Amino acid sequence: MGVDYGERRIGLALSDPTATIASPLPTVKRRRGKRPPVEALSRLAEEREAVEIVVGLPLALDGSESPWTLEVRRFGERLAERTGLPVFWIDERLTSVEAERAVRSVGLPKSRREEKGRVDAAAATLILQRHLDRRGRA
């Protein structure tokens, strides 16, 4: 299961049973000032029979970590504890830009293309696909 953890939304993706192709799942909205929905994501991982979790790691362009990077790491660690699944980290620099381009290229009407959840789900799909592609080459 791929995760693009954001302040307002969490983009999600899942691979096919052969771990070849990543596909988007519905985005989970976060409530401002509330704890991350670790329990809901844990249930989703169990329902979808996820065997590992891939979380996008928001690094600065120079590769350094920020306070937000540390928050994402804490979230991933809590998700790993709750699910018992291994968590892998993927550098997510520029995935949002790639995701926006991908969403624009699909040919949807402008109002549908600009739905923020669609971009977050596309970013999670890119994160998971990068992980799958790396595993396939190993």
Side-chain angles (χ1 to χ4, degrees):
M1 183 168 81
V3 180
D4 179 39
Y5 184 76
E7 291 181 44
R8 295 188 182 144
R9 288 169 306 280
I10 301 172
L12 300 170
L14 202 64
S15 77
D16 65 315
T18 66
T20 305
I21 300 172
S23 300
L25 291 174
T27 302
V28 173
K29 289 187 181 179
R30 290 192 56 197
R31 289 176 162 165
R32 195 177 287 267
K34 300 289 181 182
R35 290 183 184 166
V38 172
E39 180 64 32
L41 295 177
S42 175
R43 279 193 310 272
L44 179 65
E46 185 177 339
E47 289 167 5
R48 298 294 185 119
E49 300 177 354
V51 295
E52 60 189 24
I53 297 170
V54 182
V55 179
L57 196 60
L59 300 172
L61 287 177
D62 66 2
S64 64
E65 296 197 6
S66 68
W68 180 246
T69 308
L70 297 177
E71 183 173 333
V72 172
R73 282 192 186 278
R74 283 192 298 270
F75 161 76
E77 289 165 5
R78 286 195 305 263
L79 193 54
E81 288 171 14
R82 182 70 182 95
T83 63
L85 297 174
V87 169
F88 296 90
W89 305 99
I90 293 288
D91 180 352
E92 70 168 22
R93 284 180 281 185
L94 305 178
T95 55
S96 292
V97 173
E98 289 177 55
E100 286 177 21
R101 285 183 186 150
V103 168
R104 269 191 246 125
S105 72
V106 172
L108 293 170
K110 186 175 180 180
S111 61
R112 300 280 316 273
R113 281 194 320 254
E114 292 180 353
E115 292 172 1
K116 297 291 186 189
R118 192 174 301 279
V119 173
D120 295 326
T125 304
L126 288 169
I127 289 165
L128 180 55
Q129 190 64 55
R130 284 184 184 160
H131 176 72
L132 297 173
D133 291 348
R134 281 191 190 146
R135 273 190 21 189
R137 286 192 299 256

